[in-house]
Amino acid sequence: LKRFSLLPQGGLSFESAGADHKNSVRQDYTGGEAVYATAGINMYYKRLALGMNINQPVYQHLGGQNVQAFTAASAALTFLF
């Protein structure tokens, strides 16, 4: 039984958010869409999984083009049961 394995991953993700409203008035610099290129790796050892990925914006229209998304990284440690 193999105890250690690697699983690379890549793809695109899409996010969309509606504009915020306060007292029925649309708030400036809110809402929009973005597409991110995603690359990462999941590492498995016995019942533990460690995942790391990076997201790079490839398209964005956020807050009426007044808000900018930057590269983001994330990590997760998971216990499988």
Side-chain angles (χ1 to χ4, degrees):
L1 181 65
K2 191 174 180 181
R3 292 186 180 196
F4 180 80
S5 62
L6 295 174
L7 179 63
Q9 60 184 6
L12 295 174
S13 63
F14 172 76
E15 292 184 7
S16 177
D20 291 340
H21 291 80
K22 183 175 182 180
N23 297 324
S24 300
V25 177
R26 184 187 188 284
Q27 300 299 296
D28 292 336
Y29 313 117
T30 63
E33 306 84 34
V35 176
Y36 300 88
T38 302
I41 191 162
N42 289 336
M43 296 167 278
Y44 298 91
Y45 177 71
K46 295 183 181 179
R47 296 175 72 183
L48 290 176
L50 174 63
M52 296 177 285
N53 73 5
I54 190 162
N55 297 315
Q56 175 66 41
V58 293
Y59 165 81
Q60 54 186 309
H61 187 274
L62 303 169
Q65 301 226 334
N66 292 300
V67 177
Q68 185 176 3
F70 295 100
T71 302
S74 65
L77 180 62
T78 305
F79 178 73
L80 305 170
F81 59 93

